[in-house]
Amino acid sequence: RNVSEQRPRVIFYRGTEGFKQLWRDILSSGAKEYLNITSGKDFLTFVKESYIKNEIITRKIALGIRARQIITDSAYAREIIRKDAEQNRISKLAPRKFLFQATEIIFGNKVAIFTGRLENIIMLIESEEISKTHRDYFELIWEKL
């Protein structure tokens, strides 16, 4: 049996500094696209909206990274979607009944799963198989919306 020597790695981050570290990881990963499944406001439990605009989005655009996201339909989500073209993003709305209690970002061979509500934790999984599986989940939902 041929078993890979590379084993999955899991890193946990907490709070605002963990959120910022996750985005440093995403933006320096070399990935030209990341996929995001979110309810929309989870980011705001970690940082202010100005940080997202001035740091994350500005750097993402400068690096030529695009995003595709599935976001729960809400007034806030529709406000975000209006900025898709200028922020190098394509979004699709998920029906309101899908609240996505955790946000997921898939990039390269990594999957970040986090919730800012009560747990305020980020789990980053580095695994080719897991990232491919989550990418397939994303694509399946993307095609159905």
Side-chain angles (χ1 to χ4, degrees), residues 5 12 23 27 29 34-36 39 46 49 52 76 90 97 103 109 113-114 117 119 126 128-129 132 134 141 143:
E5 293 297 317
F12 289 94
W23 280 98
L27 297 171
S29 71
Y34 65 84
L35 310 174
N36 183 23
S39 66
F46 290 98
E49 195 164 355
I52 294 167
Y76 182 74
I90 301 169
K97 68 180 182 178
T103 289
N109 67 343
I113 302 169
F114 59 91
R117 290 180 183 90
E119 296 166 351
E126 183 176 359
E128 196 66 41
E129 288 181 354
K132 283 181 180 177
H134 281 258
I141 298 166
E143 287 178 15

Side-chain angles (χ1 to χ4, degrees), residues 12-138:
F12 289 94
Y13 298 119
R14 284 194 172 279
T16 299
E17 284 310 310
F19 182 84
K20 290 178 179 180
Q21 181 59 53
L22 170 67
W23 280 98
R24 285 191 290 273
D25 292 350
I26 292 169
L27 297 171
S28 67
S29 71
K32 288 299 175 189
E33 177 183 65
Y34 65 84
L35 310 174
N36 183 23
I37 301 173
T38 184
S39 66
K41 290 194 175 187
D42 274 355
F43 289 9
L44 300 179
T45 61
F46 290 98
V47 295
K48 294 183 188 292
E49 195 164 355
S50 61
Y51 182 86
I52 294 167
K53 290 177 185 175
N54 299 333
E55 298 293 327
I56 296 171
I57 293 172
T58 300
R59 188 148 176 244
K60 175 184 82 129
I61 292 167
L63 292 169
I65 299 170
R66 79 176 192 138
R68 286 190 292 148
Q69 76 174 344
I70 298 167
I71 186 168
T72 302
D73 192 358
S74 68
Y76 182 74
R78 289 178 182 275
E79 180 183 320
I80 289 171
I81 290 172
R82 280 195 291 277
K83 301 173 198 160
D84 273 5
E86 68 191 63
Q87 295 181 353
N88 208 17
R89 180 180 55 235
I90 301 169
S91 300
K92 289 191 177 184
L93 290 170
R96 291 176 191 243
K97 68 180 182 178
F98 298 107
L99 299 177
F100 303 128
Q101 297 296 307
T103 289
E104 179 170 300
I105 300 174
I106 307 155
F107 64 102
N109 67 343
K110 298 176 182 176
V111 178
I113 302 169
F114 59 91
T115 178
R117 290 180 183 90
L118 298 174
E119 296 166 351
N120 200 23
I121 192 166
I122 300 165
M123 178 176 56
L124 180 64
I125 305 166
E126 183 176 359
S127 163
E128 196 66 41
E129 288 181 354
I130 292 172
S131 66
K132 283 181 180 177
T133 299
H134 281 258
R135 193 173 303 280
D136 286 346
Y137 295 156
F138 180 94

